[in-house]
Amino acid sequence: MKRTTLLLLVLGLGLSQSQAQTVPNPAIEQWWSSPGIIGTALLIALVSLVAILIIGSRLSALFQGLQKRAESRKKETLKSELVNWEEEDLDWILEKRKAAKKYQLTGTELTGKGNSDDSRGLIAKVTHDPENPLVDEKKKETLRMETPKPLRNLMIWYLGAAVFWLVFGTLVGQYVGMKFIWPEMDQISWLSFGRLRPVHTNTVFWGWASMAMVGLGYFVISRTSNTGIFSYSLGKIAWYLMNSAVVLGNFLLMSGVNNGGGEYREYIWPVALLFASGLILTFFNYYKTVAARKISEIYISNWYLLGGLIWTITLVVIGYLPSFQDGLGETVIQGYYMHQGVGMWFMTFTLGLTYYYLPTSLNKPIYSYSLGVLAFWTQMLFYTLIGTHHFVFSPLPWWLQTVAIVFSAGMFIPVVSGTTNFLMTMKGSWSAISKSYVLPFFLVGVVFYFVGSAQGSLQAFRLTNFIWHFTDFNVAHSHMTMYGIITFILWACMYAILPKVTGKEPPALGVGIHFWLAFVGLFAYMISLMTGGTLRGLSWIEGESFINSVILMQPFWVWRAIGGSMMFVSHLIFAYNFYEMAKKEKPLPHKISAPLSSVHA
C-alpha cells in the first residue's frame, strides 16, 4: 500500500511538472519597455553605427584621393609654368630650395637648452613603434602560398559549387519574395510557394554554406596541421555525395515529395543519408589529417571544425530516427534539429574558419587562445538545449520551455567571448578598412555575430516571443544570422585566401559593389520585416483579423523585395569576382611560403 501511494505521488509530481502553460499570457500594455524590445533596438542601432563608421572611412579615403588629385594637378601646372621661366630665375629658385632642404633642427627649438618636461600632463602616450599591422590591401598580393595542386583544385571544386548554389538558391528566394507582392504571378505547381520555399532554404544551407565551409576548412586543416590532406579522393567522393543530395533533394521538393513539415529537414531520409555520408567522409578526412599533424598542438580552429562535424552527424541521425517522429516528441526534435543545424553546424564551423582566416588576414595572432576555448565549451554546453524556445506557449512542458529560455540567456557567454576575441584581434587595424576588401566583410560578420546571437537570446524571452512568434520578424532574424554572420564571414574568408592560392586578384570595384549591395540590401530586408513583424504580432494580440495583418504587411514586403533584389545582384557580382580569382592561374614572382606535401593520395 505504501509503495502504491509513493508511486502515485511520484507520478502526480511528474505530471504536475510536465504540464504546459501554468501562468497567464504576459501583459503587453508597455511592451516597448521590455528588456527584449529595448535590447533589440539597441542592437539594431549598433549595426547602424557600424554602417556609419564604414561609410565614414570610405568617404575619408575618397576625400584623400580627391586631395591627391588636386595636388597632382597643381604640380602639373607648376611644371608648365617652369617651362616659360628664364634661366636666372630657375637657378635662384633651385639654390634657395637646396638650402632649405639642408636645414636641420637642433632639437631645442621648443624647450631651449633644458630637459623636456610635461609638467601639465598634456602628453597621454609616447611610442616609438606604432602598431600598424599588414592587411590585405587593394593591390596585388605580395605573399603567394605555395599550395599542393590537388588541395587547390579541391578547394576550387567546393567553392565553385558553393557559388553556383548561392546564385541558384537566392534566385529561388528572390522569386519567392516576389510572390508576396504578386501572389498570382504563376499557376504552376512546381513553382508554388510551399514547394519553392524549402528549395531556397535547403539550397543555401546545404549547397552554398556547407560546401563553402568544407572547402575553406580543407585549407585550414592542412595549414594548421603543417601537413597534407589525408586523402584527396575522399574529399572528391564527399563532394559528389553532398552535391547529389542537394540536386536530388531539390528535384523531389519541387515534385512535392518531402519529409513533412520539419523545417530544414524537408529532404526525405535517403537524400539526407547521401549528405550525411559526405559529412562522415569529410570528418574522417579532417580527423586523419589532424592526427598526422607535424606539430604537437591542435589549433583552436580545428576544435571548432571537428566539433561542428561531430555534432552535425549526430544531429542528422537524431533528426531522422522514426521513433521520435510522433506527437509532441516530433515537436521537441524539430526544435532541437532546427536550432542545432544553425548553431552547431553553420555557426560552430564558421567560427573555426574565423579563428584562422581573420588573424592571418591581419598578419597577427588571435588575441586570446583562452577566450577561444571558453567560447567553444560554453557553446557546446548552452546551444544544445535552446531549441524549445521556438515553441514557447506551446503544449510542450512549461519547465522545458523555461530551460530553453535560461540556456538562451547563457549563450551570451560564448557570444561575448568570441566577439571580444575577434574585435581585440582587429584592434589597431581600423584604419585599414578603407584599404582592405577583406576587413569590411569580417567586421560586418563579427558585429552581426554579436547582434544576431544576442537578439536571438532576447527574442527567446516570453514577452518578445509572445509578440514576434509566427510573424515575419523570425524571417528577419534568420537572415540576420545566416546571412549577416555566416555568409559575410564566408565571403571574407574566400576573398582572403583565394588570391594567395591562385595568384589572381578580384576586381576592387566589383568587391566594393558586392559589399555595399549585400550590406544595404540586408539592412533594408531586416529592418522592414522586423518593423512589419512587430506590428503584425500586435495586431494579432489585439484580435484583428488575419487578412488585416496581411494588408498591413504589404509595404514592408515591398521593401523586403527591394532588399532581396539588392542582395541577389550582389551575388551575381560575387560570382564574377570568384571567376576572376579562380580562373587560369598566372605565376607570380613573389615570396614563396613553405610547400605542403600530401600524406595520402
Side-chain angles (χ1 to χ4, degrees):
M1 182 63 182
K2 291 182 179 180
R3 292 182 179 178
T4 303
T5 304
L6 180 61
L7 180 60
L8 290 175
L9 287 174
V10 172
L11 290 175
L13 180 61
L15 290 174
S16 66
Q17 294 295 321
S18 299
Q19 61 185 336
Q21 185 170 342
T22 58
V23 297
N25 290 334
I28 64 164
E29 287 76 11
Q30 294 184 332
W31 62 271
W32 45 268
S33 63
S34 70
I37 301 293
I38 294 174
T40 299
L42 292 175
L43 292 171
I44 295 174
L46 177 60
V47 175
S48 303
L49 176 62
V50 172
I52 293 172
L53 291 176
I54 295 177
I55 293 173
S57 68
R58 297 295 186 185
L59 289 176
S60 175
L62 176 62
F63 291 146
Q64 289 178 4
L66 293 175
Q67 185 178 5
K68 289 181 179 179
R69 292 191 189 98
E71 293 176 354
S72 178
R73 285 194 294 269
K74 288 181 181 179
K75 290 179 180 179
E76 292 298 328
T77 303
L78 178 59
K79 289 179 181 178
S80 62
E81 291 177 354
L82 289 175
V83 174
N84 300 322
W85 282 23
E86 297 295 334
E87 184 176 353
E88 294 80 4
D89 295 332
L90 287 173
D91 290 340
W92 179 78
I93 288 291
L94 289 174
E95 291 298 330
K96 190 174 180 180
R97 187 58 184 162
K98 286 180 181 179
K101 285 287 188 180
K102 292 179 179 179
Y103 179 78
Q104 292 184 349
L105 295 173
T106 62
T108 61
E109 282 78 6
L110 298 179
T111 62
K113 299 294 185 180
N115 296 326
S116 59
D117 180 29
D118 181 28
S119 59
R120 297 187 179 183
L122 300 178
I123 300 176
K125 182 180 179 180
V126 177
T127 178
H128 299 285
D129 185 23
E131 188 175 11
N132 185 25
L134 301 175
V135 296
D136 293 319
E137 295 185 350
K138 293 180 178 178
K139 58 185 181 181
K140 291 296 182 181
E141 178 59 57
T142 59
L143 176 64
R144 173 73 186 281
M145 290 187 176
E146 185 65 24
T147 307
K149 186 176 181 180
L151 176 58
R152 183 170 63 250
N153 291 341
L154 190 62
M155 291 176 61
I156 298 298
W157 274 37
Y158 274 94
L159 298 182
V163 173
F164 170 79
W165 289 123
L166 173 66
V167 174
F168 174 79
T170 52
L171 173 63
V172 174
Q174 175 72 6
Y175 188 78
V176 168
M178 293 298 184
K179 282 178 173 284
F180 283 92
I181 305 174
W182 301 292
E184 298 180 357
M185 61 191 301
D186 67 68
Q187 301 295 329
I188 304 173
S189 61
W190 282 56
L191 301 179
S192 63
F193 182 90
R195 296 189 185 184
L196 285 185
R197 198 267 177 177
V199 170
H200 163 63
T201 55
N202 284 278
T203 299
V204 294
F205 270 39
W206 315 121
W208 150 243
S210 297
M211 298 299 292
M213 286 157 43
V214 173
L216 292 166
Y218 268 112
F219 186 86
V220 175
I221 287 288
S222 174
R223 203 75 188 174
T224 56
S225 300
N226 196 28
T227 188
I229 297 299
F230 172 72
S231 173
Y232 296 110
S233 299
L234 287 179
K236 292 179 181 179
I237 294 173
W239 185 91
Y240 281 111
L241 288 172
M242 296 167 72
N243 280 285
S244 298
V246 179
V247 172
L248 183 59
N250 286 343
F251 176 79
L252 292 174
L253 288 178
M254 296 182 73
S255 303
V257 180
N258 57 64
N259 192 42
E263 193 172 21
Y264 309 146
R265 54 172 176 161
E266 289 91 350
Y267 288 166
I268 59 176
W269 72 263
V271 175
L273 180 62
L274 283 176
F275 194 88
S277 300
L279 289 182
I280 292 172
L281 292 180
T282 302
F283 170 74
F284 179 76
N285 218 3
Y286 279 17
Y287 173 79
K288 294 295 287 185
T289 303
V290 174
R293 66 189 183 279
K294 297 178 181 178
I295 55 177
S296 59
E297 299 84 2
I298 298 179
Y299 185 61
I300 186 65
S301 288
N302 297 340
W303 290 41
Y304 282 86
L305 303 189
L306 294 175
L309 283 165
I310 292 173
W311 270 109
T312 307
I313 294 169
T314 305
L315 174 67
V316 173
V317 173
I318 294 176
Y320 279 87
L321 283 178
S323 58
F324 295 118
Q325 309 307 318
D326 295 323
L328 290 179
E330 194 275 339
T331 304
V332 175
I333 294 301
Q334 173 57 30
Y336 173 80
Y337 178 91
M338 177 170 53
H339 226 297
Q340 300 313 299
V342 175
M344 305 306 289
W345 173 229
F346 298 108
M347 192 68 72
T348 301
F349 202 103
T350 303
L351 289 175
L353 297 177
T354 308
Y355 273 103
Y356 175 80
Y357 287 108
L358 176 60
T360 55
S361 296
L362 296 170
N363 195 34
K364 57 163 65 170
I366 196 71
Y367 173 72
S368 172
Y369 200 91
S370 299
L371 278 178
V373 174
L374 172 65
F376 175 83
W377 287 113
T378 50
Q379 172 126 342
M380 297 298 113
L381 171 64
F382 290 112
Y383 223 119
T384 52
L385 287 176
I386 66 177
T388 311
H389 74 206
H390 286 274
F391 302 105
V392 176
F393 300 111
S394 72
L396 294 179
W398 194 251
W399 66 266
L400 186 60
Q401 301 175 34
T402 303
V403 168
I405 295 172
V406 172
F407 274 62
S408 297
M411 277 300 298
F412 276 103
I413 298 175
V415 169
V416 172
S417 300
T419 304
T420 301
N421 215 1
F422 298 144
L423 292 179
M424 292 302 292
T425 302
M426 293 183 186
K427 183 182 178 183
S429 303
W430 306 118
S431 61
I433 292 177
S434 62
K435 299 182 294 180
S436 171
Y437 52 70
V438 173
L439 192 55
F441 285 94
F442 270 125
L443 179 60
V444 170
V446 170
V447 170
F448 266 109
Y449 172 54
F450 175 76
V451 171
S453 300
Q455 193 278 317
S457 295
L458 296 174
Q459 191 173 340
F461 296 167
R462 285 196 168 91
L463 176 61
T464 49
N465 212 296
F466 189 61
I467 297 173
W468 288 333
H469 199 48
F470 298 119
T471 72
D472 297 72
F473 196 102
N474 294 289
V475 181
H477 171 72
S478 64
H479 282 76
M480 186 190 303
T481 52
M482 280 302 299
Y483 197 87
I485 305 173
I486 306 302
T487 298
F488 266 86
I489 289 179
L490 290 177
W491 283 333
C493 296
M494 292 172 71
Y495 281 131
I497 192 59
L498 281 176
K500 294 185 175 77
V501 171
T502 65
K504 301 296 292 184
E505 297 280 335
L509 180 61
V511 177
I513 296 175
H514 168 211
F515 174 82
W516 285 111
L517 283 176
F519 184 53
V520 176
L522 173 61
F523 199 77
Y525 189 104
M526 182 180 73
I527 297 300
S528 61
L529 291 187
M530 283 183 165
T531 305
T534 301
L535 296 177
R536 195 179 200 186
L538 292 173
S539 73
W540 291 345
I541 294 173
E542 292 171 1
E544 297 183 11
S545 64
F546 180 81
I547 192 62
N548 284 344
S549 72
V550 174
I551 297 172
L552 178 151
M553 284 299 301
Q554 282 184 326
F556 301 104
W557 284 335
V558 171
W559 279 104
R560 166 193 175 133
I562 293 173
S565 299
M566 296 176 68
M567 294 154 69
F568 176 67
V569 172
S570 78
H571 303 162
L572 297 178
I573 298 173
F574 167 65
Y576 174 75
N577 294 340
F578 173 80
Y579 168 76
E580 288 294 321
M581 293 185 290
K583 65 182 182 180
K584 186 178 179 181
E585 181 185 358
K586 181 180 178 181
L588 295 177
H590 293 311
K591 294 183 294 183
I592 303 296
S593 59
L596 299 177
S597 58
S598 176
V599 173
H600 184 76

